[in-house]
Amino acid sequence: MSQPISRRTFLKTSAITAAAGGIVLCGGGAFAATYRPPIDLPTTSYGENTMTNQHILIAYASKAGSTAEVAQRIGKVLADAGQRVDVQPVTEVKDLSAYSAVVLGSAIRAGHLLPKAMQFIETHRQELAQKPFSAFIVCLTLKDDTPENRKTVSAYLDPLRAMLPPAHEGMFAGVMDSSKLNFLERTLMKMMKAPSGDFRRWDEIERWAAALA
Ligand SMILES: Cc1cc2nc3c(=O)[nH]c(=O)nc-3n(C[C@H](O)[C@H](O)[C@H](O)COP(=O)(O)O)c2cc1C
């Protein structure tokens, strides 16, 4: 996936994979086709309550775990800068009233943020609009950080910007680890010749987090 995934390519490949998946499902392999190994999506708190520091929420949406790890790293950097930080999967966040600022992170799938990340904004839009709000995305296209790929990836954020423009935006390269995908996802990635590896540039991620702090 060193080339950005065009929506057309993705839809074409998805249709073939869905047909292949249908055959597997008809063959009684439903469990095997959709089984994903357990992925660690932790909830973590960093930093002390000093009464003068900010309490920041980093809410993340991740399928294979790489965005969760990026969220944790951003949380650590903010805590090292003196803030108190909670890092949580978006689905576990119930109430934003305790937080002075919110950062939303999402993996990219098929050119979109994960639906649960968009749902998070929809659910909390009014409260988020009253607080400093930033967002980051993790995707494979930025494995090669070219102006063209940046433009492609920046467009992934358009639907989010239309709902609630973030004060700061982060766009990071992610991970392709087929052992963390289900059969259908693995087949799709194979057909798209997606490169395997961990392409996260932690220094870049930490710089972005430090600028937030
Ligand atoms: C089914 C599937 C679709 C993907 N679609 C895209 C895409 O459209 N654009 C992109 O840049 N990366 C895409 N990726 C790569 C993921 O964004 C990348 O693997 C990311 O690190 C996943 O985050 P996660 O581990 O938190 O789920 C896709 C990955 C999978 C498995």
Side-chain angles (χ1 to χ4, degrees):
M1 225 179 299
S2 48
Q3 293 298 312
I5 307 173
S6 77
R7 207 151 291 187
R8 208 161 134 235
T9 313
F10 183 85
L11 290 175
K12 209 170 93 189
T13 320
S14 299
I16 298 167
T17 314
I23 294 164
V24 172
L25 294 180
C26 290
F31 177 75
T34 55
Y35 172 76
R36 183 194 307 281
I39 303 291
D40 193 23
L41 299 177
T43 293
T44 321
S45 293
Y46 299 101
E48 303 282 314
N49 181 4
T50 63
M51 305 296 283
T52 52
N53 60 2
Q54 292 203 58
H55 193 184
I56 300 171
L57 172 68
I58 303 180
Y60 67 85
S62 175
K63 280 218 167 198
S66 64
T67 306
E69 290 167 357
V70 171
Q72 300 291 338
R73 183 69 68 96
I74 292 170
K76 278 188 197 150
V77 172
L78 291 174
D80 287 348
Q83 313 299 352
R84 190 172 151 217
V85 188
D86 290 341
V87 185
Q88 289 183 0
V90 275
T91 44
E92 282 180 26
V93 179
K94 302 286 175 259
D95 182 12
L96 299 186
S97 58
Y99 299 105
S100 41
V102 177
V103 181
L104 172 67
S106 178
I108 294 293
R109 291 266 172 130
H112 293 92
L113 276 78
L114 296 186
K116 50 194 171 183
M118 299 304 283
Q119 184 59 54
F120 173 83
I121 303 180
E122 188 68 54
T123 306
H124 300 285
R125 197 199 303 222
Q126 278 191 350
E127 219 175 335
L128 285 171
Q130 312 297 319
K131 302 176 192 276
F133 170 69
S134 299
F136 69 90
I137 52 177
V138 178
C139 65
L140 213 54
T141 303
L142 277 181
K143 167 186 168 291
D144 299 313
D145 192 351
T146 63
E148 199 196 359
N149 286 354
R150 282 216 154 243
K151 203 170 152 202
T152 302
V153 171
S154 176
Y156 295 161
L157 280 162
D158 283 346
L160 179 146
R161 291 181 188 123
M163 288 174 86
L164 188 66
H168 299 276
E169 294 176 352
M171 304 189 291
F172 306 122
V175 174
M176 183 50 61
D177 176 355
S178 62
S179 73
K180 304 241 170 97
L181 304 178
N182 68 33
F183 170 79
L184 293 176
E185 294 164 344
R186 267 202 309 277
T187 307
L188 181 59
M189 291 299 103
K190 210 167 166 185
M191 290 173 82
M192 297 182 83
K193 297 187 170 52
S196 289
D198 184 345
F199 305 106
R200 289 171 293 185
R201 293 180 283 271
W202 291 109
D203 53 340
E204 204 179 287
I205 292 165
E206 287 176 357
R207 270 200 306 278
W208 187 78
L212 275 188

